């Protein structure tokens, strides 16, 4: 599979992705369980459970937590996914929160993509643990009508950019109060009225939707179903997101394959991708593909792992991989990122 891809560079470069709409600057930290002394190094909280039990022990009291700052870097679903896809050689255009007044912040300029910024980046703090992360971020608001802001930032080209893409990726619906309106505009202004083309794709990542109401979750799932009338739609969920949706709107239990099948049947989503720490599952017209995850016991980083997984899946999709190969490739790519701390090129992932 990998050798064949290395020989298809011109085809890879011809595949156009358009990604919207978030953008954050992440401060990556690890909470300190025991401070450094003259004789011993600092000890970190190893797991989310360990940190959570410490916080519970401080209930009705007070505490302070020392943070070891490891990095300040680009963040958000759009930047991570786009950077990975660009490094794999795809033609990627980003429309996101990448800097004030249309000026792209220096942290995002490293991305191998065409960049349009319609707002300042959000700010987030990522607590890293061996078994995952906790993300702290404030909501982002826009002073003007969102779609007009996007049109202004792109010189009026936003509709055509989305219309002509081989794959549209709309991410981070949960954390942006204006995301639903923008996603609706991509459909009504970008795709509606166009001929049906299921050889092209619309990829969606809601992110943690536990704070959203049942009505809002229903609305976005129906919207994704509308996209399915014109493009092949892919909904990517992690385990927590899948369980939240199952409990809030599906009432189908917590079996991941059943969640995927129910989303396909009830809302018309073409493909449902669910990735967990231990396994990845893809539900399509062809059936259910299940593969164990390449688990990394001691990750260098977990922030962005899901976006690396998604970027690799988008790559495999536009390159015509089978269901099984897409899941394998995405697992392998995310595993490299978590174990090495950076996203690989196509050459590196082939060697890995």
């Amino acid at each position: 599979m990998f050798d064949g891809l290395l020989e298809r560079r011109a085809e890879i470069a011809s595949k156009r992705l358009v990604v919207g709409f978030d953008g954050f600057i992440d401060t990556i930290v690890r909470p300190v369980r025991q401070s450094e002394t003259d004789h011993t190094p600092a000890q970190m909280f190893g797991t989310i459970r360990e940190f959570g039990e410490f916080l519970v022990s401080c209930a009705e009291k007070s505490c302070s937590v020392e943070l070891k700052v490891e990095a300040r870097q680009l963040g958000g679903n759009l930047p991570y996914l786009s950077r990975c896809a660009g490094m794999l050689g795809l033609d990627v255009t980003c429309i996101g929160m990448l800097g004030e007044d249309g000026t792209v912040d220096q942290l995002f300029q490293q991305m191998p993509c065409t960049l349009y910024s319609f707002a300042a980046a959000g700010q987030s703090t990522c607590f890293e643990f061996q078994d995952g992360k906790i993300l702290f971020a404030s909501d982002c608001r826009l002073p003007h009508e969102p779609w007009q802001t996007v049109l202004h930032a792109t010189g009026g080209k936003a509709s055509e950019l989305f219309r002509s893409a081989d794959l549209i990726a709309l991410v981070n619906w949960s954390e942006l109060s204006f995301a639903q309106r923008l996603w609706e505009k991509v459909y009504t202004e970008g795709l509606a009225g166009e001929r049906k083309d299921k050889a092209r794709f619309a990829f969606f990542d809601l992110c943690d939707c536990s704070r959203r109401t049942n009505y809002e979750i229903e609305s976005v799932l129906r919207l994704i179903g509308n996209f399915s009338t014109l493009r092949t739609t892919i909904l990517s969920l992690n385990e927590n997101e899948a369980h939240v949706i199952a409990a809030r709107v599906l009432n189908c239990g917590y079996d991941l394959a059943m969640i995927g099948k129910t989303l396909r049947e009830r809302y018309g989503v073409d493909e449902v991708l669910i990735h967990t720490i231990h396994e990845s599952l893809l539900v399509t017209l062809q059936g259910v593909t299940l593969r164990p995850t390449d688990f990394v016991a001691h990750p260098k980083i977990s922030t962005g792992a899901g976006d690396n997984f998604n970027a690799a899946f988008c790559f495999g999709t536009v390159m015509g991989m089978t269901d099984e190969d897409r899941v394998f490739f995405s697992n392998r790519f995310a595993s490299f990122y978590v174990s090495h701390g950076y996203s690989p090129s196509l050459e590196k992932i082939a060697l890995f």
Side-chain angles (χ1 to χ4, degrees):
M1 174 177 64
F2 294 109
D3 291 340
L5 287 174
L6 292 172
E7 296 169 359
R8 299 167 65 188
R9 294 183 185 279
E11 182 185 354
I12 292 170
S14 73
K15 299 297 184 181
R16 290 172 295 174
L17 272 63
V18 179
V19 189
F21 286 99
D22 75 338
F24 286 83
I25 294 175
D26 285 348
T27 301
I28 308 296
V29 302
R30 291 188 184 271
V32 177
R33 184 166 62 85
Q34 186 170 323
S35 298
E36 179 182 9
T37 70
D38 292 339
H39 307 290
T40 59
Q43 297 180 28
M44 307 300 154
F45 286 98
T47 65
I48 294 174
R49 180 183 296 277
E50 183 184 348
F51 184 58
E53 289 173 348
F54 165 76
L55 293 178
V56 169
S57 74
C58 298
E60 301 180 0
K61 294 176 282 187
S62 298
C63 69
S64 67
V65 178
E66 179 184 349
L67 300 177
K68 179 187 177 185
V69 179
E70 296 195 332
R72 185 175 182 271
Q73 61 190 39
L74 62 77
N77 301 105
L78 175 148
Y80 277 120
L81 187 154
S82 301
R83 181 176 63 180
C84 298
M87 290 180 66
L88 286 169
L90 299 171
D91 179 356
V92 183
T93 296
C94 305
I95 306 172
M97 301 158 45
L98 306 174
E100 289 186 282
D101 302 321
T103 301
V104 176
D105 189 282
Q106 187 174 359
L107 281 173
F108 301 109
Q109 291 177 13
Q110 62 180 282
M111 296 164 59
C113 312
T114 301
L115 306 175
Y116 295 99
S117 179
F118 64 85
Q123 302 291 323
S124 61
T125 302
C126 306
F127 282 44
E128 283 277 345
F129 302 91
Q130 291 177 7
D131 63 339
K133 66 181 184 293
I134 305 175
L135 197 63
F136 297 86
S138 58
D139 186 24
C140 300
R141 304 279 177 176
L142 293 179
H144 306 292
E145 201 280 323
W147 184 247
Q148 291 303 315
T149 304
V150 166
L151 286 175
H152 177 74
T154 59
K157 296 188 294 184
S159 296
E160 177 56 29
L161 288 170
F162 284 110
R163 188 178 302 123
S164 61
D166 293 291
L167 185 145
I168 295 166
L170 299 180
V171 296
N172 208 348
W173 170 83
S174 296
E175 293 183 347
L176 303 181
S177 59
F178 49 83
Q180 179 80 15
R181 283 173 287 170
L182 285 180
W183 290 21
E184 289 171 351
K185 286 294 186 179
V186 172
Y187 177 74
T188 59
E189 303 295 330
L191 300 188
E194 293 293 300
R195 68 179 181 86
K196 181 179 180 179
D197 187 354
K198 299 293 274 187
R200 291 194 279 171
F201 305 90
F203 180 93
F204 301 89
D205 183 359
L206 303 181
C207 299
D208 183 359
C209 50
S210 56
R211 300 186 300 278
R212 293 292 194 130
T213 66
N214 295 5
Y215 174 80
E216 288 173 318
I217 296 172
E218 286 265 15
S219 295
V220 76
L221 292 174
R222 286 195 299 270
L223 176 60
I224 294 171
N226 290 339
F227 275 89
S228 297
T229 64
L230 297 170
R231 297 288 188 267
T232 295
T233 53
I234 305 162
L235 174 60
S236 178
L237 304 166
N238 65 26
E239 186 173 19
N240 174 61
E241 292 154 6
H243 286 167
V244 168
I245 290 173
R248 301 277 289 278
V249 301
L250 298 183
N251 192 29
C252 66
Y254 292 108
D255 178 77
L256 297 181
M258 180 56 65
I259 292 170
K261 291 176 182 177
T262 305
L263 284 167
R264 276 179 40 80
E265 294 167 1
R266 189 173 301 177
Y267 296 100
V269 183
D270 292 296
E271 302 183 353
V272 179
L273 176 65
I274 304 176
H275 46 101
T276 79
I277 292 177
H278 300 293
E279 63 183 8
S280 300
L281 177 145
L282 175 62
V283 184
T284 71
L285 182 64
Q286 284 69 45
V288 178
T289 300
L290 180 65
R291 185 178 181 88
T293 298
D294 299 327
F295 182 69
V296 179
H298 302 288
K300 284 197 172 182
I301 190 171
S302 61
T303 301
D307 301 305
N308 276 259
F309 182 94
N310 286 339
F313 192 87
C314 290
F315 176 91
T317 296
V318 297
M319 294 307 296
M321 290 185 190
T322 65
D323 289 358
E324 185 174 334
D325 282 348
R326 283 189 291 169
V327 175
F328 172 80
F329 182 73
S330 304
N331 273 332
R332 185 55 54 93
F333 195 93
S335 177
F336 184 103
Y337 172 79
V338 171
S339 58
H340 290 75
Y342 65 91
S343 303
S345 64
L346 196 56
E347 291 82 0
K348 280 190 178 291
I349 196 63
L351 292 171
F352 183 64

